[in-house]
Each structure stands twice: as C-alpha cells, then as structure tokens.
Amino acid sequence: MNLKEYKDYGVVKRLLAVCMWSVDEELEEKIEQVLAGYITNDCTELLGCLENGRLAGIIGIMRHSRKAAEIRHLAVQEQWRGKGIGRKMIEELGRTAEYDTITAETDHDAVGFYRNSGFAVKSLGEKYPGVERFICSLSLNDAERS
C-alpha cells in the first residue's frame, strides 16, 4: 500500500525513526524532511504493510531507473518483527514493480537480515568514523518472480 494518503503519520514517523541514525534533537526535523521527500518526489515511494488493519512495516524506495531501485528505509513494528514481514515487503516490491535489481546500504545491525533475504553483501569499509557500512544487492529475474 502506498503511504502518500495514509492518515496516521505518527506511526509512519516512529517507523522511520527506527531507520535513522541521528542525534535526538535533529531526529524530528530529519523525519519531517524524509517524509516530505517521499510525498513530493516522483522517484521515491513509501509503501506499507498492514497486518490486522494496522501498519506493521514500511519500505521506502528510490527508483534509479525502470529496472533498479534502492531501499532507503525499511522497518517493522517491534511486535511484528521476526515474522517475515520485511522479507515479504521486499519480495512484493520485486514482484510488482518488476525491478531487475534492488539495492540497500546498511550497517552491521541489519546486514544479516539482507543476507538472509537473498542479497549479496559487500563491505564499503568504514564510511563513518567507527561505522562499517555494507552495500546489499538483490538480482531478480523472471523465473524468481513466478
């Protein structure tokens, strides 16, 4: 479900906060900027997954071309974690948008999730002081979509 028209932005903001690494006093402003970008930029989409009528998770993407997208934000409500919702959102994205490649940049905390979801993982080294970053890439083809 596209979240451009979703009414409960409080839940969306809390899920975006899970994805963002920022000092507390900057966090609210950054969340507002990110949310505004998803609403106004035609190359981005913020999608959600509902469970029992409630927003269980979000996935924010940036399209780089018709066939390639980058996951910019991915979060699942704490009570829904470990139930395959993140992986299902990625699978649905690949199936419905017909991308050939989906990428994500992440840190050590989430690299295992991407690896377990079928992404190839490559270290980018210490991109920020004391923080190793990884580029994760998932190649899709028509056989995997069926």
Side-chain angles (χ1 to χ4, degrees):
M1 124 182 229
N2 191 311
L3 295 178
K4 279 189 180 186
E5 305 299 324
Y6 192 72
K7 301 299 181 209
D8 188 355
Y9 279 122
V11 175
V12 175
K13 288 178 181 180
R14 284 191 297 279
L15 283 167
L16 280 172
V18 172
C19 307
M20 301 176 78
W21 192 49
S22 184
V23 292
D24 290 337
E25 55 269 7
E26 297 174 354
L27 186 58
E28 183 66 30
E29 183 179 328
K30 286 191 181 268
I31 290 171
E32 291 292 336
Q33 291 171 351
V34 167
L35 193 53
Y38 279 120
I39 292 169
T40 60
N41 187 336
D42 289 338
C43 292
T44 62
E45 282 187 282
L46 185 60
L47 308 169
C49 174
L50 296 178
E51 291 289 335
N52 299 326
R54 300 179 73 197
L55 187 62
I58 60 168
I59 186 167
I61 62 161
M62 175 177 280
R63 285 182 304 283
H64 293 294
S65 70
R66 282 195 55 221
K67 296 294 183 179
E70 175 185 3
I71 297 172
R72 301 297 306 252
H73 300 96
L74 177 66
V76 174
Q77 298 260 22
E78 191 170 347
Q79 68 267 29
W80 294 104
R81 291 182 192 153
K83 299 184 183 332
I85 289 173
R87 185 180 314 211
K88 287 176 189 173
M89 287 190 296
I90 292 169
E91 289 170 357
E92 185 71 7
L93 178 64
R95 187 182 65 75
T96 60
E98 298 183 1
Y99 293 117
D100 289 336
T101 305
I102 299 173
T103 60
E105 183 179 315
T106 193
D107 58 16
H108 194 316
D109 291 341
V111 74
F113 164 78
Y114 285 103
R115 186 176 284 120
N116 291 337
S117 296
F119 285 71
V121 175
K122 179 182 170 192
S123 175
L124 296 173
E126 191 174 298
K127 194 168 178 181
Y128 308 106
V131 179
E132 183 179 15
R133 299 290 290 177
F134 300 87
I135 187 71
C136 307
S137 181
L138 180 65
S139 295
L140 303 168
N141 63 40
D142 291 333
E144 292 171 317
R145 288 191 180 101
S146 48

